Amino acid sequence: MKIPYTKPSIGPMEIELVTDAVATGWGENCYQYLDLFERRFGEWLDVPYTIATSSCTGALHMGLLALGIGPGDEVILADTNWIATVAPVVHLGATPIFVDILDDSWCLDPIKVQEALTTRTKAIIATHLYGNLCNMFELLRLANDMGIPIIEDAAEAIGSLYFGRRAGSIGLFGVFSLHGSKTITTGEGGVFATRDPELYERVLTISNHGRAREETRQFWPEVVGLKYKMSNIQAALGCAQLERVEELVNDKRRIFFKYKELLSGLPQLSMNPEPEGTFIGAWMPTVVFPEFEGFNREQALETFQRNQIDARVFFWPLSELPMFKGTPTQRRSKSISSRGINLPSYFGMKDEEVQYVVDVVRSVAVGSTT
Ligand SMILES: *Cc1c(COP(=O)(O)O)cnc(C)c1O
């Protein structure tokens, strides 16, 4: 039995729409699926303006550029993050400020955010890690007090809800990833989403090599833009996946709660929380082993590999990566990262497969305390 980490679910509708796009989606039809995908995604998210992109990283880059973020500006984000969240900040010449995370949600600690705010802070990026939800009420309160925006990195939070609103629809703008490992996929791809019409127009212009959409002259950019567009063929795949989004999210949740049930005999492990008022998309079931009990991540990974299970390590703290050498260590970020393991989750994963992974988690947990 070989258990992959994630894998996409491609059904007959996906194949049908992609085949149609590649056969007919040219000339006058070249934006047909793109327009449809952007509209449907916006309806699903309940946000009026969406732009399909080649990646989540690209969507974030464009949004930050449109806000005028650059040298001398600071952007606050969690130390526990995928590199994609900080890379655009660095490319724009701004300074990332890494802050510590909360013990339970593994997302931004609002108190640490407050301590990190300065007159140079231009934005806070709230990453809903592994589909868990940031404390948006607190973060919005802080940001509103300072007159700065909250940006949501909802790459991992498709299907997550915060007090009735979808993750990625709450801040000034939200970005999503449609990478092959994510809950819905276009192979590679992303979405930029906002309620702000002016920001939308700026990002739309940037996204099209700086050409404004009302420009009548051909080949006439008004600013130096970026090129992070999704293709119509990918959008066709996106349309089919979006038709199935509830089904795909529900299966992620089924798998997560199966893990939770089977691991309930090991109360020392913590897993993704779902506090009152939230609903998690459960992209990545994750277990965090207890502190001070001699858990050895490398040994644990070896055990998973020996058992043909493609488990993954929790994200490394960004402050520990070589390019950010010299930035202060964040205690919880460092500690949790060294004790966390992502467990496999993919559409159609059988209960026996979950049980098989759980048996290995159990052997690792028992081994670590003896
Ligand atoms: C996957 C991911 C991204 C990047 O998505 P791409 O589509 O690969 O650019 C950004 N942030 C987080 C938290 C992610 O997990």
Side-chain angles (χ1 to χ4, degrees):
M1 186 144 56
K2 200 173 165 97
I3 310 277
Y5 163 61
T6 63
K7 62 179 177 189
S9 165
I10 303 300
M13 192 186 354
E14 280 81 352
I15 291 167
E16 187 190 324
L17 296 194
V18 171
T19 306
D20 183 53
V22 78
T24 69
W26 309 102
E28 282 178 356
N29 294 334
C30 73
Y31 297 126
Q32 209 171 19
Y33 282 106
L34 263 174
D35 291 343
L36 189 64
F37 176 70
E38 287 177 344
R39 198 169 68 237
R40 293 262 168 88
F41 197 94
E43 284 164 6
W44 171 80
L45 188 60
D46 195 21
V47 157
Y49 307 110
T50 51
I51 300 172
T53 60
S54 54
S55 70
C56 177
T57 314
L60 184 57
H61 191 180
M62 292 197 296
L64 293 171
L65 177 61
L67 293 181
I69 287 171
D73 296 336
E74 293 176 355
V75 176
I76 294 176
L77 66 156
D79 191 28
T80 300
N81 242 312
W82 177 223
I83 185 71
T85 313
V86 69
V89 176
V90 174
H91 288 313
L92 289 168
T95 306
I97 305 293
F98 304 132
V99 308
D100 214 349
I101 54 172
L102 294 167
D103 257 323
D104 50 0
S105 68
W106 319 317
C107 292
L108 271 179
D109 179 348
I111 291 172
K112 299 290 175 185
V113 171
Q114 183 161 26
E115 288 169 5
L117 287 165
T118 73
T119 52
R120 292 182 299 281
T121 310
K122 287 291 146 52
I124 299 166
I125 305 177
T127 302
H128 302 296
L129 199 80
Y130 303 138
N132 303 353
L133 289 138
C134 293
N135 183 338
M136 293 302 287
F137 289 137
E138 277 302 305
L139 295 176
L140 285 167
R141 194 180 57 74
L142 287 173
N144 289 341
D145 285 353
M146 293 289 286
I148 56 170
I150 295 277
I151 295 161
E152 290 179 271
D153 181 342
E156 304 179 350
I158 291 219
S160 295
L161 289 158
Y162 188 77
F163 292 85
R165 292 172 74 177
R166 292 202 183 281
S169 73
I170 304 165
L172 176 62
F173 70 84
V175 291
F176 294 86
S177 175
L178 306 173
H179 179 262
S181 63
K182 300 288 164 50
T183 300
I184 69 170
T185 187
T186 55
E188 293 279 0
V191 177
F192 171 91
T194 186
R195 297 176 189 282
D196 185 316
E198 284 164 39
L199 178 63
Y200 169 67
E201 289 297 336
R202 283 204 298 281
V203 174
L204 198 61
T205 299
I206 289 169
S207 78
N208 194 19
H209 272 318
R211 294 177 292 183
R213 64 168 157 177
E214 67 279 359
E215 178 58 62
T216 49
R217 281 168 291 186
Q218 292 180 333
F219 303 120
W220 188 266
E222 62 182 35
V223 292
V224 177
L226 293 163
K227 186 70 192 301
Y228 290 133
K229 292 180 90 157
M230 179 185 282
S231 77
N232 194 56
I233 300 167
Q234 290 171 297
L237 182 51
C239 286
Q241 291 267 283
L242 207 46
E243 286 287 318
R244 298 179 53 216
V245 62
E246 299 309 322
E247 179 193 4
L248 297 173
V249 170
N250 284 342
D251 211 48
K252 280 284 186 187
R253 286 178 60 83
R254 173 190 65 80
I255 295 161
F256 171 74
F257 286 106
K258 193 74 203 171
Y259 273 123
K260 215 169 145 101
E261 174 200 327
L262 296 175
L263 286 167
S264 61
L266 293 170
Q268 71 271 35
L269 300 187
S270 32
M271 292 190 73
N272 317 56
E274 189 175 50
E276 189 95 26
T278 70
F279 178 96
I280 56 170
W283 173 62
M284 188 58 61
T286 298
V287 284
V288 175
F289 290 81
E291 214 165 359
F292 314 120
E293 287 201 16
F295 172 71
N296 183 315
R297 181 174 58 185
E298 276 59 43
Q299 250 169 25
L301 267 190
E302 248 171 61
T303 309
F304 283 111
Q305 270 156 20
R306 215 173 332 108
N307 289 284
Q308 309 286 314
I309 297 167
D310 188 9
R312 300 286 170 103
V313 297
F314 209 93
F315 290 133
W316 298 93
L318 293 174
S319 60
E320 303 235 311
L321 300 179
M323 54 287 200
F324 300 117
K325 221 174 143 199
T327 44
T329 299
Q330 306 298 323
R331 193 191 69 78
R332 285 192 292 260
S333 178
K334 186 182 166 92
S335 167
I336 293 169
S337 159
S338 71
R339 296 180 280 122
I341 298 275
N342 301 144
L343 303 178
S345 170
Y346 46 87
F347 184 79
M349 186 174 184
K350 296 192 192 78
D351 285 354
E352 303 93 86
E353 292 170 321
V354 177
Q355 179 68 62
Y356 177 73
V357 175
V358 162
D359 290 342
V360 176
V361 172
R362 193 179 295 275
S363 77
V364 166
V366 169
S368 70
T369 52
T370 53

